[in-house]
Amino acid sequence: VHEKAYVVSARDPDFPVAVGQEVLSIDERYFRPTEVDLLLGDPTKAMTQLQWQPKYDLAGLVKDMMQSDVALFRRDQLLAEQGHLVPNYFE
């Protein structure tokens, strides 16, 4: 929590920073619980103020995620069949 990062050396003329300058610190105000029981989102503000529209509905999102997972499983299966060690692969 009390960690800070300081510049040790800097040679890039496009990013001039002084040696010893603090460039990163932790702010507890931005911590969030590691376990959240319920996350809810409401896109109304983005839709009304930014004219944002979602690209996927829930069914489309689930379909895309499942296709991606199936492709990964097929890749892992092919690698395992060819004798490669694939972590967490079970036949």
Side-chain angles (χ1 to χ4, degrees):
V1 174
H2 303 288
E3 293 181 52
K4 295 182 186 289
Y6 299 91
V7 175
V8 176
S9 68
R11 290 176 281 209
D12 191 335
D14 293 331
F15 300 100
V17 291
V19 171
Q21 178 181 344
E22 181 182 318
V23 291
L24 182 113
S25 63
I26 297 173
D27 190 332
E28 293 183 53
R29 293 179 295 174
Y30 299 107
F31 284 6
R32 65 179 273 179
T34 56
E35 296 295 328
V36 179
D37 294 330
L38 181 64
L39 290 174
L40 294 175
D42 182 359
T44 304
K45 188 174 183 180
M47 294 169 84
T48 57
Q49 294 186 10
L50 302 174
Q51 286 73 49
W52 172 81
Q53 291 297 317
K55 293 180 182 178
Y56 291 95
D57 60 5
L58 181 59
L61 178 62
V62 170
K63 180 180 178 183
D64 191 45
M65 291 171 68
M66 291 301 298
Q67 288 174 340
S68 178
D69 282 350
V70 168
L72 289 173
F73 295 146
R74 286 186 177 145
R75 181 204 64 188
D76 287 352
Q77 182 180 20
L78 177 64
L79 289 169
E81 288 171 356
Q82 298 300 315
H84 296 277
L85 178 62
V86 181
N88 299 322
Y89 177 75
F90 302 101
E91 292 187 65

